[in-house]
Amino acid sequence: MPNPALVSADYIVVVSNEDDHLSGFHHFSEKVNRKLKVGYQLHGQPFAMGKVMCQAMIRIAGPARQGDTTFFHTHPAAPQGYP
């Protein structure tokens, strides 16, 4: 039976396009802001690949988002013979 306290994470990368570079990345920031409004959170600093800007984002789903449940992650026990 699955643990009801488990959560799932949706990990995405918002990517700019050519028009964003010409507009000072205004459209890119709008894309990121739209994702923030639907529950995504920034995951690290924005990064660039040439003229393309990227922003990693994550959204946590499950009981931990309700505010009344605290989820503490515990690592599974290591198999015998491993530290």
Side-chain angles (χ1 to χ4, degrees):
M1 178 186 225
N3 183 346
L6 292 179
V7 296
S8 64
D10 186 17
Y11 180 83
I12 64 169
V13 176
V14 179
V15 179
S16 68
N17 58 28
E18 284 184 32
D19 296 336
D20 290 335
H21 179 72
L22 299 174
S23 71
F25 296 100
H26 176 72
H27 298 289
F28 173 69
S29 64
E30 286 180 351
K31 290 182 212 176
V32 171
N33 285 330
R34 279 195 300 269
K35 293 298 183 183
L36 288 170
K37 288 178 184 177
V38 295
Y40 283 89
Q41 298 174 1
L42 301 177
H43 187 71
Q45 299 287 333
F47 56 97
M49 295 185 306
K51 292 183 177 182
V52 177
M53 287 294 298
C54 303
Q55 174 64 61
M57 302 183 84
I58 191 167
R59 179 171 57 183
I60 306 296
R65 288 195 53 110
Q66 297 173 358
D68 58 351
T69 304
T70 303
F71 174 71
F72 294 99
H73 177 73
T74 56
H75 293 282
Q80 287 190 349
Y82 290 93

